[in-house]
Amino acid sequence: MSDNKPIFQPNREFAKEARVKNMCEYHALQNEAMEDYEGFWSRYAKEKLDWIEPFTTTLDESNAPFYRWFDGGKLNVSVQCIDRHLSSRKNKAAIIFEGDRGDKQIITYLELYYQVNKFANLLKENFGVQKGDRVVIYMPMIPEAAYAMLACARIGAIHSIVFGGFSAEALKDRIEDAKAKVVITADGAYRKAKPYMLKDVVDKALESGSTVVEKVLIVERNNEEIAWVAGRDYSYNELIKDKSPICQPEPMDSEDPLFLLYTSGSTGKPKGVQHNSAGYILWAQMTMEWVFDVKENDTYWCTADIGWITGHTYIVYGPLAMGATTIMFEGVITFPDAGRPWKMVEEYKINQFYTAPTAIRVLHKTGENEPKKYDISSLKVLGTVGEPIDPPAWKWYYEEVGGSRCAIVDTYWQTETGGHVVSPLPGATPIKPACATMPLPGIIAEILDENGQKVPAGEKGLMCITRPWPSMIRGVWGDDERFKKSYFGDVKKEGQAVYFTGDGAIYDEDGYITITGRTDDVINVSGHRMGTAEVEAAIKKHTKVAEVAVVGKPHEIKGEGIFAYIVMKGEDSFAQEVELIKEINNIIKDEIGNIALCDDIVFVPGLPKTRSGKIMRRILRAIAKNEPITQDTSTLEDPSVVEKIESIVKSCMI
Ligand code: WTA
C-alpha cells in the first residue's frame, strides 16, 4: 500500500467463514456488476426476494431521474421480513427488547407475525387505513413501533416516522406535508429512568386543525396521565384485544412506496424522502448480509433510533429481512453509566455492534475502562455511521471494544441511499482507520469535479453515484422538481445528470475513499442532519431578530455544534444578553426540538455579505473555528464588519 496510513487486515479466522472472504471475491462481485449491471441486480433480486409475481424489467431508465426497478413484480415487505422465515425460524428471536429501566422482552418470528397481523387488522378495521394512505409514527423505541412499521407495510400504507425528539411544530409540518390520516404514538416513554411525554406533543401538533388526521392511536408504555379527544383518540391496548392474528398481505408493486422519512436539506423545510418496496428491501437485506456478516445464531445490535434512517434499515427492515435477531433498545447508552452497552453485549452475547462516532466519543470520554469490566468477547464486527470518525475514537473502539480482533466497518450512506453505499466488508477489506474504504459491489460511486470529470487521487471532489441503484430515493414527497434539483441538479457526467450526495470526498492512491463532510449548508450534529436554513427560520421567529446566519463549528463530542450569528433589530449595543439567548433557544426548542439548540449564539452588528446580498458563510465558519480568514473580504458590501464580528466572537469565547 502506498501511503503511510496503518492498514488493518481482516481477521483470518473470521474471513474463512465470511460471505465475502477476500478482495478477489470483492473485485469479482464489483466486476460482475460493472460488466452486466442489470444482470447483477436481477440475479440478486431473484435470489433474495420472495416474489408474489416475478418482475419483468430489471431497470427502467426511460424517465430519468425517476428510475424504476423490478417493474412487473409484486411482493410484500412484511412477508419478506416475517412470513418467509416461519418455516425455518418461527421460534427464533426476531426482536430482543431492552427497556430504559432494564425490562426485557423477546419476540420470536411467530410472535412478531401475530402482532403485526393484529396491528394491520386494527389499522384496516378500526381506522379504515388503505393502501397508499400515510400513517405518521411518533413513538419511543418499543416493539410496538416496529409492529406499526411492519403493519403499514403489510396493508400497503406508507409510514412516516417522526423522531420522538422533534417538537410539536416539527411534527405538525411533517404530518401536514404527508397529509397523514392516522398518527400512532404512546402515552410516554422512559429516558434515564424518568418518564417523558409524547402524546401531549401530538395534541399540540393537531391543535391548529390544519391537518387531515382523523385518528390517533395510543400505545401504553408508562401509564402517564394523558388527555383523550373523544372520537379521535383510541387505545391500542384496548382495540388490539379482539383482532385476528391473521391478515393477508397486500400484494404491492415493486415501485409502490414503502415509507417516507423527512430529512434536512440545505434549503427550505425538510424533504419527505420516499423509498419504495422492492429495491429498498433488497439492498437493506444484502448490505446486512455483506457488511455485518450476521450468521444464523448471531445477535446484532444497532443503537440508533427508529426515527432515523439507520433505525429503519438496520434495526428493523434489514435484520428482519435476513432473518436475524435484532436488539431494540429504549434507553441511553451512557445510563446508568458508560458500561451499559458492554453490560448488554455480555448479557446478550452480542456479535455485531453498530453505533455513531458521537456515541463512541462519549463512551470513550466517560468510560474509557468500562469495556474491560465485561466479557465482550462475543463481538465480531463493529460498525460506525453518520459522520466521519476521528482517529483517537477509532483506536479506542478498535483496541478496547474490539480487542484488536474485530473489523470496524465505517459505513457511509444517507437517508436518500436507503442503505450503505461505501463501506469495508469485514472479512475482505484491509481497513485504514477512519476511512469508509470502497463502494459496495453494485454501487458505482465516483468522486467527480463540477464538470463531471473524475478527480485525481488526493484531490477533494464531489461524492457522486453515477448509476441508479435499487435502494435509492424515489422522490421528494409531493415535489418532483425539488427531487430533481436537490439530487440531480449539480453534476453531469457525459451530459447525464448523476446523483450527488452533497458530500465531499477524496480517493487515495489505493482507491480508498475518505468522506470529508457536507459541501452544502447542512450541519451534522451528533450524526443528525440539520439544515442551517431550518435553524435560521426558527430563530427569525423571534420578533427582535433582524438577520441570522447559522454555521457548523467542530465539537468534541457532537462532531459539529451549531453556531448562530444574530443581528438584532435597532440594536447598537452588542451586549450578549443571557435572557435573549434563552428566549432564542426556547423558540428553537418549540420549532424543531432540543437537537437543534445552538451551542453558541453571538449578537453582531451585521453579517458579511457580498454586494449582491449573499452571506459569506465561509468567513463566518472561519471565525467560529477561530481560524484565519483566507478569503478576499474587499468585495464585501461592508468589509469592516468582519473585524467587528471577530472581536465580538473573541470576547465571547474568553
Ligand atoms: C454523513 C445517516 C462520514 C454524510 C445514515 C451524509 C458520514 C450524512 C458517514 C447522511 C460516514 C454518514 N463517514 N460521513 N461513515 N455516514 N455520513 O441522512 O455527510 O442522517 O451525507 O444518514 O451523514 O445523514 P443521514
Side-chain angles (χ1 to χ4, degrees), residues 158-215:
I158 305 168
H159 62 71
S160 170
I161 305 188
V162 179
F163 172 59
F166 277 122
S167 69
E169 198 57 34
L171 175 62
K172 186 184 87 180
D173 284 348
R174 287 157 175 78
I175 294 173
E176 271 177 3
D177 190 79
K179 297 193 175 60
K181 190 165 155 181
V182 169
V183 177
I184 305 173
T185 188
D187 56 359
Y190 294 96
R191 199 180 150 82
K192 298 193 181 178
K194 291 199 191 91
Y196 76 87
M197 303 297 285
L198 289 162
K199 169 64 167 54
D200 53 355
V201 182
V202 174
D203 289 339
K204 210 166 158 213
L206 300 183
E207 203 173 62
S208 68
S210 58
T211 73
V212 294
V213 170
E214 292 164 10
K215 309 279 183 207

Side-chain angles (χ1 to χ4, degrees), residues 263 309-310 384-389 410-416 436 501 503 515 517-518 524 527-529:
T263 191
I309 190 68
T310 307
T384 75
V385 57
E387 50 174 321
I389 177 165
D410 182 343
T411 62
Y412 166 74
W413 61 297
Q414 312 177 291
T415 305
E416 294 85 345
T501 58
D503 285 302
I515 305 296
R518 304 286 306 189
N524 197 329
H528 303 315
R529 273 160 71 169

Side-chain angles (χ1 to χ4, degrees), residues 18-33:
R19 286 181 173 81
V20 183
K21 295 181 174 54
N22 50 53
M23 286 310 271
C24 288
E25 290 191 5
Y26 163 80
H27 288 302
L29 285 167
Q30 190 65 307
N31 288 341
E32 183 191 339

Side-chain angles (χ1 to χ4, degrees), residues 48-51 70 75-81 84 150 153 254 258-259 275-289 312-313 316-322 418 470-471 474:
K48 300 281 174 194
L49 299 182
D50 256 34
W51 293 96
F70 312 123
L75 80 172
N76 184 288
V77 166
S78 78
V79 171
Q80 183 70 17
C81 292
R84 74 187 195 101
L150 292 158
S254 294
L258 178 64
F259 66 82
H275 281 291
N276 291 0
S277 304
Y280 170 80
I281 200 66
L282 174 65
W283 192 233
Q285 182 177 330
M286 285 173 70
T287 49
M288 261 319 285
E289 293 176 358
H312 284 62
T313 309
V316 179
Y317 286 118
L320 297 178
M322 76 167 292
S471 69
R474 289 305 195 278

Side-chain angles (χ1 to χ4, degrees), residues 98 301 327 329 340-348 350:
E98 172 147 327
W301 181 18
I327 298 219
F329 175 52
R340 178 83 180 257
W342 321 129
K343 182 169 179 279
M344 281 177 61
V345 169
E346 176 178 276
E347 189 173 335
Y348 297 108
I350 288 163

Side-chain angles (χ1 to χ4, degrees), residues 65 450 481-492 497-500:
E450 272 147 18
E481 276 314 304
R482 195 165 175 206
F483 168 66
K484 284 199 263 185
K485 200 163 167 273
S486 306
Y487 303 106
F488 298 89
D490 292 316
V491 188
K492 274 195 175 149
V498 295
Y499 177 85
F500 171 44

